[in-house]
Amino acid sequence: MPQFPAGFAWGAATAAYQIEGAVAADGRGDSVWDTFCRRPGAIRDGHTGDVAADHYHRWPEDVGLMARLGITAYRFSVAWPRVQPQGHGPANDRGLDFYDRLTDALLAAGITPVPTLFHWDLPQPLEDQGGWLARDTAYRFADYAALAARRLADRIPLWITLNEPFVVTTMGYGLGTHAPGQALMLGALPTAHHQLLGHGLAMASLRSAGARQVAITNNYAPAWPASDSPADAAAAGAYDALQNRLFTDPVLLGAYPDLSAFGIGNSPGYVRDGDLALISAPLDALGVNYYSPARLSALPDSALPDSPPPDSALPFHREPIPGYPVTAFGWPVVPAGLREMLLLLRERYGQALPPVYITENGCSADDVVAADGTVDDQPRIRYLDGHLRALHEAITAGVDVRGYLTWSLIDNFEWAEGYNQRFGLVHIDFATQQRTPKASFGWYRDLIAAQRT
Ligand code: IFM
């Protein structure tokens, strides 16, 4: 592996609902994911995050694993329903105590804590009042951010406001395959603006509470047209606007991208005067999550018998990407897509692009504990190796990337897939909670050690 710049952060990431469990502990309230998991058929095999990896109780062991791994940064998320069980009002101190202890333990182990304030677990009482469809939720988010920062900001060098608001809008409110399970199609678009407004308002409250650096994390996918036809190029352009620009142009450029392919003007009614100024307040870093590219056509490929019917509300159709290995999830493994995306971000935003952190990248694999107690996850090692090399190329080409945090430290609750997709460097036996570092853990540990000498 080529040498990365001095001071480059090497890390791993997780999220509260995916690992913590302890959903009723210390005054935590319900989140939309608790509710969604109770909906019959919503989650594969009826799994829930009730126990997950029991990180709420086993965090000292998990911090020990991080120390063995040698990571210098750990990205976790703060569960809003632990801090404000009702989504508003004073802080629940017992909830904040957990993140306080975790922060101190990380620092004692020489690991920089990087908390994300919203990784999808909206307090259910806020959803009952409209969730992200309601403008008021943005203001509630800023209040919550202030509470978290007042307690932790003295020890946190970098905050992330939102994780992948694109997924919340599309899967949570557009398609209904994620919590809160609303299938509003394009009617979900106000949730994009309200999350962005929440980001802007939260940045202001974080800064007034003494936060040093603030970022937002988006997930990106180079949008490849399925053919040379102008129709497929337009489909790819529409997808690009939705995934890669809708949540980034307002933050970095202070303007919405062209959404005319969706029948939406640049200034829909829910965007009020002054919103974009708040949303585009200076940012210290951009979190980039990358897993794979997207390939788009104007119409489904009729040669594919299993293609879903075209959705008339959407100006694109996602096509498979043949010719690449796939992860256990079936996602194509395309390391060059990471380089392509980073170069595209730099080309698109130029001086407006702040330093980048790769805040997620990794793969699910069919990991099993062998009779000798080992987990030989060679596909994950190949995935990480390829993506780190592609990342290094992007850095060499001039993109200012300051760190890489792999998804994920430990196996966890993979949303609608339950525990059926394993992304961790550490295997979790969800029946016994036994932690078994996989081969990729040793590989990443050795890589970090070699990079830091
Ligand atoms: O597990 C998720 C994570 O919560 C958000 N980004 C993608 C990961 C893998 O699907």
Side-chain angles (χ1 to χ4, degrees):
M1 183 67 61
Q3 198 66 29
F4 280 70
F8 192 80
W10 293 98
T14 63
Y17 190 73
Q18 295 181 270
I19 64 166
E20 286 179 358
V23 290
D26 296 331
R28 178 188 180 278
D30 263 0
S31 76
V32 290
W33 274 95
D34 297 280
T35 309
F36 191 61
C37 287
R38 294 195 281 265
R39 187 191 280 190
I43 312 292
R44 204 165 140 201
D45 299 330
H47 290 166
T48 75
D50 286 0
V51 178
D54 197 28
H55 172 77
Y56 194 77
H57 299 114
R58 293 168 196 264
W59 63 270
E61 185 181 353
D62 293 338
V63 174
L65 285 163
M66 295 179 220
R68 272 171 62 192
L69 187 56
I71 53 176
T72 59
Y74 172 56
R75 174 177 178 237
F76 58 97
S77 80
V78 177
W80 187 349
R82 289 197 193 283
V83 178
Q84 287 181 305
Q86 298 302 316
H88 62 84
N92 168 36
D93 285 332
R94 289 182 299 159
L96 276 173
D97 288 347
F98 172 70
Y99 301 105
D100 206 296
R101 289 191 292 270
L102 178 63
T103 297
D104 283 345
L106 290 168
L107 291 170
I111 300 166
T112 300
V114 183
T116 300
L117 284 166
F118 180 65
H119 198 125
W120 307 354
D121 43 1
L122 187 76
Q124 182 61 40
L126 288 184
E127 181 57 33
D128 296 340
Q129 290 157 39
W132 288 110
L133 288 164
R135 185 177 169 91
D136 190 57
T137 299
Y139 293 88
R140 301 288 71 77
F141 181 59
D143 293 347
Y144 149 64
L147 295 175
R150 270 182 224 134
R151 177 66 94 85
L152 302 172
D154 56 334
R155 285 154 291 155
I156 300 291
L158 174 63
W159 293 86
I160 296 172
T161 53
L162 306 176
N163 177 71
E164 301 182 358
F166 168 73
V167 175
V168 173
T169 293
T170 54
M171 296 175 79
Y173 290 89
L175 300 171
T177 51
H178 274 193
Q182 298 204 45
L184 305 172
M185 297 309 291
L186 292 178
L189 280 173
T191 68
H193 183 66
H194 295 149
Q195 287 184 87
L196 286 168
L197 180 62
H199 158 78
L201 292 164
M203 260 204 305
S205 43
L206 286 167
R207 301 240 192 251
S208 0
R212 281 172 261 168
Q213 297 197 70
V214 185
I216 184 172
T217 280
N218 285 316
N219 55 320
Y220 295 97
W224 294 351
S227 78
D228 291 340
S229 76
D232 286 355
Y239 186 87
D240 182 52
L242 194 63
Q243 173 156 6
N244 298 325
R245 303 195 78 136
L246 175 58
F247 296 91
T248 310
D249 283 16
V251 167
L252 298 183
L253 304 178
Y256 273 107
D258 178 5
L259 296 174
S260 53
F262 300 89
I264 290 161
N266 275 12
S267 195
Y270 45 81
V271 180
R272 299 200 189 155
D273 282 354
D275 286 359
L276 282 159
L278 277 166
I279 291 168
S280 61
L283 204 61
D284 301 294
L286 177 69
V288 168
N289 293 355
Y290 171 78
Y291 289 90
S292 46
R295 183 166 168 265
L296 296 310
S297 69
L299 287 170
D301 185 342
S302 52
L304 291 168
D306 295 332
S307 269
D311 190 316
S312 54
L314 295 176
F316 55 76
H317 178 79
R318 274 191 84 147
E319 300 283 358
I321 304 185
Y324 293 91
V326 292
T327 70
F329 228 138
W331 297 351
V333 179
V334 188
L338 175 58
R339 176 178 178 275
E340 179 184 336
M341 194 66 233
L342 290 169
L343 293 180
L344 180 62
L345 287 170
R346 194 190 50 165
E347 180 192 315
R348 200 164 264 179
Y349 300 109
Q351 294 298 317
L353 182 69
V356 166
Y357 286 85
I358 306 302
T359 41
E360 286 183 30
N361 174 245
C363 70
S364 63
D366 295 319
D367 303 321
V368 282
V369 184
D372 65 358
T374 60
V375 182
D376 193 17
D377 58 340
Q378 293 303 319
R380 178 167 295 102
I381 293 176
R382 281 195 294 277
Y383 183 100
L384 297 177
D385 183 85
H387 284 78
L388 281 167
R389 287 176 194 279
L391 175 59
H392 191 272
E393 286 170 19
I395 294 172
T396 305
V399 186
D400 183 4
V401 184
R402 303 280 175 94
Y404 175 87
L405 293 89
T406 190
W407 185 270
S408 177
L409 178 73
I410 54 180
D411 288 343
N412 56 57
F413 176 79
E414 178 53 27
W415 309 113
E417 291 295 311
Y419 298 99
N420 295 296
Q421 297 293 340
R422 294 178 176 274
F423 278 87
L425 301 179
V426 177
H427 180 277
I428 305 278
D429 178 330
F430 290 102
T432 63
Q433 294 297 342
Q434 166 131 11
R435 273 102 168 110
T436 306
K438 304 177 189 175
S440 57
F441 181 97
W443 178 88
Y444 196 44
R445 178 198 58 212
D446 293 350
L447 181 142
I448 296 171
Q451 290 286 333
R452 296 190 70 203
T453 50

